[in-house]
Amino acid sequence: MTGQSATSSTYRERNSTADRALDILLMFDDRRLVITAAEVAAELSVARSTAYRYLQSLTGSRFVEEADGTGGGYRLGPRVVELARLARRGLGLSEVARPVMKRLADTVGEAVLLTRLGGSAVICLEREETIGRAVRITYERGEVLPINAGASALVLLAWMPEQQVDAILSGTELRRFTDETITTKRSLLARLRETRKQGYALSRGELDPDVVGIGAPIRNSDGDIVAGLSIAALSARVRDDRVAEVAAAVCAAADEIGAGLHP
C-alpha cells in the first residue's frame, strides 16, 4: 500500500508539473514574445522561486531560452521550433490546403479546386466554394478530370520534363469536350510552354463551354510539383480584365500551401 501511495503521489506531482509547463508555454503569443519569472509567478499564483524553477526546467529541455538584453526574460526555444516543424510534416496536403482554399474562395468569390495527377488523369482532391453563389460549378471531390482540358491539367503538366509528359500522354486519348479542347499532343505541348512562361494556367471553355479556369502549381520543399490549385468560374464572372487579379490570388495561395508543406 505504501508503495502504491508513493507511486500515485509521484504521478500526481509529475502531472501537475507538466500542466504548469504547458501553462507557461501558453503564455506566449503575438503580443508577448518574452516573459519573466515575475509574470509567470503572477499568472500561476506561485512564488517567484517556484516560477523560476519551472522556467529553468523548460530551459534545460530547450523549450524556452533566456532572451538577451531583457533583464531576465525568456523566449520560446529551439525545441518548440523543432516540434512545429514535425507537426507541419505530419499534416497532409488536404489539411494544409483547405483553410487556404477557403480564404481564396471567399476572396475571389469562386469555386477552388485542389488537384493532383493520377496516372493519365487529374483527380480532384478537395473543393471549397464561397457561400451564396446562385450558380455552382459542379466539379466535386473525387471527380476524375481529363489530362488535356482545363487549367487543372495544364498546371500539373506544365513544369514537368517533356519526357515525363510524353510518358503520361503515351497511349492516352485526347478527347474533345468542346470546340476549344486541345486534342493534339503538339498543341498541348505548345500550351504547356505558354503556361510556364506566364507562370499560371488559364483555360476558357476547354472542358465546359461556359467555364474559365485559372491554376497555379503547388511545390514541395524540393521544388517538385505535388498538386495544383485552381479556380473554376462562369466565364461571365471572370472576364479578361479580371484575370490578372485572380491569377495573382491563386498563385499566392498555391505558394502559401507549398510553404505549409515544407519541413
Side-chain angles (χ1 to χ4, degrees), residues 17 30 37 55 63 76 81 101 132 147 168 174 205 213 220 224:
T17 301
D30 287 333
L55 286 165
F63 281 102
L76 290 173
V81 177
M101 292 172 65
I147 199 68
I168 291 172
L174 302 183
N220 63 16
D224 300 323

Side-chain angles (χ1 to χ4, degrees), residues 3 9-10 14 17 24-25 51 65 69 94 125 130 137 144 146-147 149 170 211 215 240 245:
S9 175
T10 302
R14 183 166 62 247
T17 301
I24 293 171
L25 292 175
E65 62 184 9
S94 292
L125 299 178
T130 190
I137 304 300
V144 179
I147 199 68
S170 179
V211 173
D240 289 344
E245 168 202 343

Side-chain angles (χ1 to χ4, degrees), residues 39 70 163 167 170 198 201 222 224 232:
E39 291 174 322
T70 61
Q163 288 182 335
S170 179
Q198 67 185 5
D222 296 321
D224 300 323

Side-chain angles (χ1 to χ4, degrees), residues 139-246:
Y139 308 138
E140 299 293 345
R141 183 188 304 176
E143 186 167 349
V144 179
L145 305 172
I147 199 68
N148 62 310
S152 295
L154 292 174
V155 80
L156 289 170
L157 294 177
W159 282 268
M160 282 186 178
E162 194 164 311
Q163 288 182 335
Q164 192 173 350
V165 175
D166 285 339
I168 291 172
L169 298 180
S170 179
T172 301
E173 178 187 3
L174 302 183
R175 293 177 53 202
R176 180 176 294 281
F177 300 92
T178 73
D179 291 342
E180 302 300 322
T181 304
I182 303 170
T183 57
T184 69
K185 182 178 175 182
R186 181 176 179 179
S187 296
L188 181 55
L189 291 176
R191 188 65 175 285
L192 297 180
R193 288 192 293 271
E194 178 186 337
T195 298
R196 283 195 301 274
K197 184 176 180 180
Q198 67 185 5
Y200 62 88
L202 172 65
S203 69
R204 284 193 180 277
E206 296 173 12
L207 182 55
D208 294 292
D210 299 318
V211 173
V212 60
I214 300 175
I218 297 172
R219 303 175 186 272
N220 63 16
S221 57
D222 296 321
D224 300 323
I225 309 298
V226 295
L229 186 71
S230 59
I231 65 100
L234 293 180
S235 294
R237 296 203 297 248
V238 184
R239 299 188 184 277
D240 289 344
D241 60 356
R242 196 179 170 219
V243 167
E245 168 202 343
V246 175

